[in-house]
């Protein structure tokens, strides 16, 4: 009896391993790149397309990952610190040895749209090919033409240091079977042209969902909760659905301004969003910014309501306002009105209107670096107050500010502040 | 409309001060300059960048912290203990100057400042650094970097920092126990 069970279990195990091996072989992966892309583009076509490609590469924010801070453009090497190890971006300059100089048009298309590099190597999904899959092939041609027109950089790629089993690239083939849905955001003929363009700009080019849509246990983007907000590196990438944006106080004009300048009455872009605006969305055309707003807020944007002060205990008001006048008002103004080029207004700040106080607490505890925004605006560095203020003081500050200016009635507890310190 | 005030008590340069009625939203710099006639801390940029306005906050655990008074409210210092630049020199019972603090003397000997507007901030920053090194000495090889990190944020528009820097290094090296190895 026991021997029989063992035999059955062994057989099952062999079957599972075999099934996994077949899946991991990539045999079931579906390329969206047709054979017509095997045909190389003529040199004059490449020259024609390069300028259009520059705009598209900016819009898709290739630079932010494929250029290291202070490193040569397009040479890769930026370290992405993940919970499972360090992943490094690759050299996509046209160097023939270290970059993509020897890549054919079809190989480039497969990397961008299928997530499969030259020689069949699976790319890690930090490369947002799940979003780029929806890119128009002619746009990918233009991106290829632009990148091939750049200066080649002789900089070798550096190894990743990922823990087992995340260091096994064939496993990505299995992940791809689940993670690459068939056309998740189709065009809708009942909607305006701007909305449909916005769909493309937001979901394919801008790949906004890679951060703003939550992921499931398999780290696959959960499109049933499309753009409803997720935590990225301890910071909340907020809900940017029409409801979420309206709750933060965004209407189309302010949203466009925020994405072009990084600054709006709703606050300053910080953390990764600052890089997104700096490298990418500030370069979007006015038409694409409008399209983005039409798509995210809808052709008929929700009517905004100013945040109404929520009720908060008088002792919390007194204690919170005391902390505010002590260490915040000097830069942000006594009434939270802000000072241009010094500190943002807080009365209208989106971080106070979010359901979670996470982003607000991160800024208070750990501060923010000084920033220069597209155009001439800048903001001074904000000091962190982790060592100067107690959990209780920060809790009072957060509870009062969120109630008074964010319309959020729920108290922030000292325990939550203690947790945010870690 | 009247300005809302609250009583404020604190310890300034070892002396109890207050209670004094002080406007709710008054910055500490105005309180020191206008209420206590302690004019050593100076208004420079008014936005917390230049550090001409700094004073020392003595924490209950013995650590000292440099605070920018142009952006910190007076009431933040309620019941706390602070030192301004007026406190560093040695004085006799009548309050007459007996001897400058080593950092102050070194700044003069090195011709570290010209107009002097930033000097009280540099004295404050250097004092906090020296007191920290008394508790936590640094390796000799790290001294230059440590001085730069501690004073980097202080802005001087006359003499270009080198003389301030050399004066601080001289004091640190001449004071026993601040540097290891």
């Amino acid at each position: 009896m026991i021997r029989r069970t063992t035999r059955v279990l062994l057989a099952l195990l062999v079957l599972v391993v075999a099934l996994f091996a077949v899946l991991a072989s990539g045999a079931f992966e579906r390329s969206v790149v047709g054979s017509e892309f095997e045909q190389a583009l003529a040199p004059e076509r490449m020259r024609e397309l390069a300028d259009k490609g520059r705009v598209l590469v900016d819009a898709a924010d290739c630079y932010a990952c494929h250029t290291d801070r202070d490193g040569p453009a397009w040479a890769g090497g930026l370290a992405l610190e993940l919970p499972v190890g360090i992943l490094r971006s690759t050299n996509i300059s046209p160097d023939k040895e270290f970059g993509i100089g020897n890549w054919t048009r079809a190989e480039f298309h497969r990397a961008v749209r299928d997530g499969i590099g030259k020689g069949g190597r699976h790319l890690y999904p930090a490369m947002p090919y799940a979003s780029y899959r929806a890119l128009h092939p002619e746009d990918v041609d233009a991106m290829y033409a632009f990148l091939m027109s750049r200066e080649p950089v002789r900089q070798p790629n550096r190894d990743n240091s990922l823990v087992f089993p995340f260091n096994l690239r064939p496993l990505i083939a299995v992940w791809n079977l689940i993670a690459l849905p068939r056309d998740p955001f189709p065009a809708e003929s009942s909607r305006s042209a701007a909305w449909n363009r916005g769909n493309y700009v937001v979901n394919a080019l801008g790949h906004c969902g890679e951060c703003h849509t939550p992921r499931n246990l398999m780290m696959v983007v959960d499109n049933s909760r499309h753009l409803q907000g997720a935590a990225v590196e301890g910071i909340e990438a907020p809900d940017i659905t029409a409801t979420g944006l309206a709750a933060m106080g965004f209407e189309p004009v302010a949203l466009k301004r925020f994405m072009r300048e990084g600054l709006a009455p709703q606050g300053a872009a910080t953390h990764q969003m600052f890089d997104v605006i700096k490298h990418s969305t500030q370069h979007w055309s006015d038409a694409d910014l409008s399209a983005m707003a039409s798509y995210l807020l809808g052709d008929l944007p929700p009517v905004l309501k100013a945040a109404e002060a929520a009720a908060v205990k008088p002792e919390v008001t007194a204690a919170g306002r005391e902390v505010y006048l002590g260490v915040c008002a000097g830069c942000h103004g006594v009434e939270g009105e802000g000072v241009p080029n010094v500190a943002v207004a807080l009365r209208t700040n989106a971080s106070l209107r979010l359901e979670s106080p996470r982003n607000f607490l991160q800024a208070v505890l750990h501060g923010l670096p000084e920033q220069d925004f597209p155009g001439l605006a800048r903001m001074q560095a904000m000091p962190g107050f982790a060592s100067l203020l107690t959990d209780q003081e920060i809790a009072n500050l957060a509870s009062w500010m969120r109630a008074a200016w964010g319309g959020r009635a729920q108290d922030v507890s000292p325990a939550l502040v203690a947790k945010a310190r870690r | 409309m009247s300005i809302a005030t609250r009583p404020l008590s604190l310890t300034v340069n070892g002396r109890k001060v207050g209670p004094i009625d002080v406007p709710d939203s008054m910055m500490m710099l105005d309180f020191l300059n206008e209420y206590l006639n302690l004019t050593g801390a100076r208004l420079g940029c008014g936005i917390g960048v230049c550090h001409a306005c700094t004073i020392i906050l003595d924490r209950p655990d013995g650590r000292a912290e440099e605070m920018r008074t142009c952006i910190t409210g007076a009431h933040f210092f309620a019941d706390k203990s602070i030192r301004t630049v007026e406190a560093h020199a040695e004085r006799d019972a009548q309050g007459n100057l007996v001897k400058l603090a080593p950092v102050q003397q070194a700044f003069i000997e090195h011709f570290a400042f010209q107009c002097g507007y930033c000097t009280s901030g540099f004295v404050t920053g250097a004092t906090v650094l020296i007191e920290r090194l008394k508790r936590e000495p640094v390796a000799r090889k790290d001294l230059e970097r440590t001085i730069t990190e501690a004073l980097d944020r202080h802005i001087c528009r006359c003499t270009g920092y080198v003389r301030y820097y050399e004066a601080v290094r001289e004091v640190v090296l001449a004071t026993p126990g601040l540097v290891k190895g």
Side-chain angles (χ1 to χ4, degrees):
Chain A
M1 182 67 193
I2 291 169
R3 281 183 58 195
R4 199 171 147 204
T5 318
T6 316
R7 262 202 311 243
V8 170
L9 279 177
L10 260 176
L12 265 176
L13 187 69
V14 168
L15 206 67
V16 167
V17 169
L19 182 70
F20 212 71
V22 171
L23 291 178
S25 73
F28 290 94
E29 281 187 285
R30 216 169 28 86
S31 174
V32 286
V33 182
S35 57
E36 67 272 26
F37 295 96
E38 298 294 345
Q39 173 83 45
L41 292 164
E44 60 271 25
R45 184 73 189 132
M46 289 284 277
R47 276 194 296 278
E48 276 168 27
L49 281 173
D51 273 349
K52 184 187 168 202
R54 177 196 304 275
V55 177
L56 289 159
V57 161
D58 278 345
D61 206 7
C62 310
Y63 188 92
C65 287
H66 283 285
T67 302
D68 199 2
R69 301 285 166 266
D70 307 319
W74 311 113
L78 185 78
L80 306 174
E81 287 173 26
L82 310 174
V84 296
I86 291 176
L87 191 64
R88 289 181 199 281
S89 66
T90 52
N91 186 336
I92 57 166
S93 80
D95 185 78
K96 288 193 188 306
E97 188 179 354
F98 300 119
I100 61 166
N102 274 331
W103 289 36
T104 65
R105 177 192 182 195
E107 284 166 342
F108 184 80
H109 272 263
R110 280 199 287 272
V112 172
R113 291 154 65 197
D114 289 340
I116 296 175
K118 188 179 173 69
R121 199 166 81 140
H122 281 88
L123 306 187
Y124 281 99
M127 165 75 177
Y129 56 85
S131 298
Y132 290 165
R133 202 164 177 79
L135 285 175
H136 300 152
E138 58 274 23
D139 284 355
V140 180
D141 273 344
M143 291 166 147
Y144 176 63
F146 170 72
L147 287 171
M148 288 309 229
S149 74
R150 298 297 85 201
E151 196 66 36
V153 184
R154 288 193 53 73
Q155 176 171 296
N157 288 320
R158 293 170 64 189
D159 288 339
N160 300 320
S161 48
L162 297 174
V163 299
F164 178 84
F166 299 96
N167 55 347
L168 302 176
R169 285 182 185 260
L171 292 185
I172 301 169
V174 184
W175 188 83
N176 284 347
L177 290 179
I178 317 162
L180 298 183
R182 200 181 288 268
D183 200 11
F185 309 109
E188 292 186 21
S189 56
S190 62
R191 305 274 198 162
S192 68
W195 187 94
N196 277 295
R197 173 68 188 169
N199 179 0
Y200 181 68
V201 169
V202 166
N203 292 316
L205 273 175
H207 58 281
C208 307
E210 299 279 342
C211 290
H212 287 277
T213 300
R215 290 174 188 266
N216 62 22
L217 281 176
M218 289 284 290
M219 292 309 284
V220 173
V221 164
D222 177 2
N223 283 326
S224 68
R225 292 182 287 161
H226 187 221
L227 304 179
Q228 288 177 18
V232 180
E233 294 176 358
I235 297 296
E236 186 174 312
D239 181 342
I240 54 166
T241 62
T243 319
L245 286 169
M248 287 190 282
F250 279 108
E251 33 69 40
V253 174
L255 183 60
K256 280 177 66 178
R257 185 174 155 201
F258 183 80
M259 297 293 279
R260 191 194 293 117
E261 300 171 16
L263 272 175
Q266 290 72 16
T270 56
H271 301 96
Q272 288 196 24
M273 195 61 202
F274 179 70
D275 288 336
V276 169
I277 288 167
K278 186 109 181 153
H279 298 306
S280 178
T281 63
Q282 69 155 312
H283 302 295
W284 288 8
S285 67
D286 193 63
D288 277 354
L289 287 166
S290 294
M292 172 271 305
S294 295
Y295 176 74
L296 291 177
L297 288 163
D299 282 327
L300 293 170
V303 178
L304 277 191
K305 281 194 300 193
E308 280 176 30
V312 58
K313 294 189 208 90
E315 61 270 27
V316 172
T317 298
R321 190 167 152 78
E322 184 169 332
V323 176
Y324 182 83
L325 291 174
V327 294
C328 312
C331 293
H332 291 284
V334 171
E335 301 301 330
E337 67 276 19
V339 178
N341 297 305
V342 174
V344 294
L346 293 174
R347 296 187 71 84
T348 50
N349 197 276
S351 71
L352 294 168
R353 298 175 66 150
L354 293 173
E355 188 178 349
S356 159
R358 181 203 296 257
N359 291 2
F360 176 79
L361 293 177
Q362 286 301 316
V364 171
L365 286 167
H366 307 300
L368 292 166
E370 95 186 353
Q371 293 174 302
D372 59 324
F373 294 90
L376 294 172
R378 51 187 59 231
M379 286 292 158
Q380 300 298 345
M382 168 167 165
F385 292 92
S387 76
L388 202 62
L389 298 177
T390 63
D391 291 347
Q392 184 66 60
E393 285 170 325
I394 294 175
N396 289 337
L397 176 73
S399 298
W400 170 69
M401 286 177 73
R402 281 164 57 81
W405 294 333
R408 292 278 177 189
Q410 202 183 3
D411 276 358
V412 174
S413 69
L416 194 68
V417 179
K419 205 171 145 204
R421 280 182 192 270
R422 292 194 285 274
Chain B
M1 194 183 100
S2 63
I3 295 173
T5 62
R6 271 186 298 151
L8 172 63
S9 303
L10 72 165
T11 304
V12 179
N13 300 336
R15 280 181 31 235
K16 296 275 181 208
V17 171
I20 306 173
D21 274 345
V22 177
D24 255 349
S25 57
M26 177 168 273
M27 289 298 132
M28 185 60 170
L29 183 64
D30 294 323
F31 174 71
L32 293 172
N33 288 178
E34 307 294 337
Y35 282 62
L36 303 186
N37 200 29
L38 293 171
T39 55
R42 300 210 170 97
L43 177 70
C45 66
I47 56 171
V49 171
C50 78
H51 288 72
C53 66
T54 61
I55 58 152
I56 296 172
L57 170 66
D58 284 310
R59 309 282 292 264
D61 63 5
R63 283 179 304 143
E65 190 144 357
E66 200 179 356
M67 297 288 298
R68 291 168 284 179
T69 56
C70 77
I71 55 165
T72 310
H75 287 281
F76 175 78
F77 296 93
D79 306 321
K80 295 186 168 92
S81 180
I82 65 156
R83 279 176 286 158
T84 66
V85 72
E86 286 85 353
H88 299 305
E90 211 175 288
R91 290 174 194 273
D92 64 19
Q94 286 73 48
N96 300 314
L97 188 66
V98 175
K99 191 174 165 220
L100 290 175
V103 155
Q104 292 172 311
Q105 191 61 41
F107 283 173
I108 290 173
E109 286 167 9
H110 280 257
F111 296 96
F113 53 89
Q114 185 175 309
C115 84
Y117 205 81
C118 65
T119 307
S120 55
F122 270 95
V123 170
T124 301
T127 305
V128 168
L129 169 66
I130 288 164
E131 290 178 0
R132 191 183 90 208
L133 295 180
K134 280 180 185 162
R135 295 191 306 272
E136 306 154 17
V138 289
R140 174 65 189 86
K141 67 175 170 49
D142 295 330
L143 178 60
E144 278 78 5
R145 186 173 48 82
T146 305
I147 295 172
T148 304
E149 282 169 6
L151 298 180
D152 211 21
R153 50 187 95 95
H154 286 266
I155 290 177
C156 166
R157 295 282 85 136
C158 300
T159 60
Y161 308 106
V162 174
R163 290 157 189 269
Y164 271 133
Y165 177 86
E166 288 176 344
V168 173
R169 181 170 58 187
E170 184 184 272
V171 174
V172 171
L173 290 175
T175 310
L178 304 192
V179 167
K180 298 181 288 193

